[in-house]
Amino acid sequence: MIIAKGENINIRELTWGDLKLLQKWYNDPEVAFWALGLTGEKSTIKDFERWYKNANSNVHRFIIELKNGFAIGSISYRDYDINNKKVTLGIHIGEKNFWGKGLGTEATKLFIRYLFDNLDINRIELDTFDENVRAIKAYQKCGFKIEGVLREAKCIDGKFHDKILMGLLKKDFENMTNNENIKID
């Protein structure tokens, strides 16, 4: 089921059939590096099947697809905190030939709108690492602000990186969308 329609992409619920795509994407070293700051870890299809079967999973993942139905990545929220009205967002474009085309930014904006409209939240947060400048710029286009830096909090291949903490408040997103005419079907 499609949960959000944009100009170039849709976001839909994850299905059992998508697990092989997740495995493919997360086992690609370049995708895993930029999405999670991981190197060398490989996941089996059984790992994804176990996660999918866990109805109490903390991660709620959706598929980003082109209008023709071709899946290009996934987007998720986790750590739903009903008391503090916040979630943590995650996204990756797994099909590398679609990097740098603005589709991740479009998907993020669509998903933000979905989260604010469908969950009783006031805040969305995320983190990335200092070298992921492309992602930081995309998040800023969506209204996220850098709220902090955890110095050398992420170790990737023996090298320490700063973890960049970013946040977005519902009122700031509403003000931004009122002024920018974000196109969401």
Side-chain angles (χ1 to χ4, degrees):
M1 179 172 103
I2 294 174
I3 64 156
K5 294 180 180 183
E7 188 174 342
N8 300 297
I9 56 109
N10 293 328
I11 299 174
R12 66 169 172 78
E13 292 179 345
L14 180 82
T15 67
W16 183 266
D18 296 319
L19 299 181
K20 287 187 179 192
L21 283 173
L22 292 179
Q23 180 194 21
K24 173 186 139 185
W25 294 332
Y26 283 114
N27 283 342
D28 180 306
E30 196 174 7
V31 173
F33 177 79
W34 293 113
L36 302 167
L38 297 177
T39 59
E41 295 88 4
K42 295 289 184 190
S43 299
T44 67
I45 193 65
K46 294 286 184 208
D47 295 330
F48 287 98
E49 290 171 353
R50 268 191 301 279
W51 167 79
Y52 187 84
K53 288 178 184 176
N54 181 0
N56 296 322
S57 176
N58 182 37
V59 179
H60 304 273
R61 188 172 306 280
F62 301 83
I63 293 294
I64 303 164
E65 64 183 14
L66 301 176
K67 290 295 190 175
N68 66 8
F70 182 74
I72 62 168
S74 75
I75 194 162
S76 65
Y77 71 90
R78 62 180 166 83
D79 303 331
Y80 181 34
D81 181 341
I82 198 163
N83 293 323
N84 294 304
K85 300 188 179 292
K86 66 179 182 163
V87 297
T88 302
L89 181 135
I91 181 173
H92 80 279
I93 301 297
E95 297 294 331
K96 294 183 284 191
N97 53 331
F98 291 97
W99 287 4
K101 300 187 183 311
L103 299 173
T105 300
E106 180 180 349
T108 302
K109 287 179 180 178
L110 281 172
F111 199 59
I112 289 167
R113 169 59 47 221
Y114 170 81
L115 292 173
F116 282 140
D117 288 350
N118 292 282
L119 299 178
D120 184 23
I121 60 169
N122 180 58
R123 174 182 171 77
I124 301 171
E125 50 195 37
L126 59 84
D127 64 75
T128 189
F129 59 101
D130 53 5
E131 271 189 46
N132 204 353
V133 175
R134 182 178 59 207
I136 293 167
K137 287 181 180 179
Y139 297 139
Q140 288 173 324
K141 284 182 194 174
C142 297
F144 283 90
K145 301 205 179 329
I146 295 174
E147 297 180 336
V149 176
L150 300 177
R151 297 178 310 131
E152 296 186 3
K154 185 116 179 121
C155 186
I156 305 171
D157 280 344
K159 181 181 175 196
F160 289 99
H161 294 268
D162 293 346
K163 185 184 271 191
I164 309 300
L165 307 176
M166 301 182 80
L168 173 64
L169 301 178
K170 185 175 185 174
K171 65 184 176 186
D172 294 337
F173 185 71
E174 297 297 340
N175 288 337
M176 184 182 89
T177 56
N178 289 337
N179 294 326
E180 285 190 4
N181 191 21
I182 293 176
K183 188 170 185 170
I184 300 174
D185 289 347

